Every structure is written in C-alpha cells, then in structure tokens.
Amino acid sequence: MWRATLRNKKSVEEREKRLKKSIEKKNKEDPLKFTNKDILAMIIAAFQILLPILFVGIGLFALVTFLFTRFFLR
C-alpha cells in the first residue's frame, strides 16, 4: 500500500501554491478583459435571476393586502 501513496507525498499546500502560480502566470499572459457585450450579458443574467423572485414577492404582497382588506377590515 505504501507504494500507491508514495507518489502523492506533496501536501495540499504545495499543490495549492503550484496551482496559484500557474493561474497567476496565465493571467499575466492573457488578462481578463470585459467588453460591453459581457457586461450586458451579466445584467441580463441578473434580471433573469431577480425578476421571478421580485414577481413572487409582489404577488404575495398583493394577495396578503387583498385578503387583509377583504376579510379583516369588514
């Protein structure tokens, strides 16, 4: 069994440092650049996530208001 684990003597910290170095190297070679299309896509994605939640909240508020005015204010 020790032969199977012998190759993986590097600790997680060493692997993490090596991975961080490779990521930094790649980012230096080709840094991230956001275009107008990317920003517009992010805005549209945010609307797709937030609008259904907003509509459910408005619907619940309208329902509670309707029920409150209909039954409790008689």
Side-chain angles (χ1 to χ4, degrees):
M1 184 67 177
W2 64 273
R3 282 180 274 160
T5 59
L6 189 59
R7 286 192 222 161
N8 298 326
K9 278 192 169 183
K10 292 183 180 178
S11 66
V12 175
E13 292 84 16
E14 291 175 14
R15 292 180 188 177
E16 184 179 357
K17 287 178 186 177
R18 190 177 66 191
L19 184 62
K20 282 183 181 180
K21 286 180 184 178
S22 67
I23 291 172
E24 288 175 5
K25 182 180 173 184
K26 288 179 184 177
N27 285 339
K28 285 180 183 176
E29 292 172 359
D30 187 24
L32 292 176
K33 296 177 185 174
F34 292 113
T35 63
N36 290 338
K37 284 185 179 181
D38 295 332
I39 294 171
L40 183 63
M42 287 186 245
I43 292 170
I44 291 171
F47 273 108
Q48 286 179 343
I49 293 171
L50 294 177
L51 274 180
I53 297 170
L54 183 67
F55 287 152
V56 168
I58 291 172
L60 285 174
F61 180 72
L63 181 66
V64 168
T65 304
F66 173 74
L67 291 175
F68 181 76
T69 58
R70 192 73 166 168
F71 296 112
F72 293 118
L73 292 180
R74 279 193 170 188

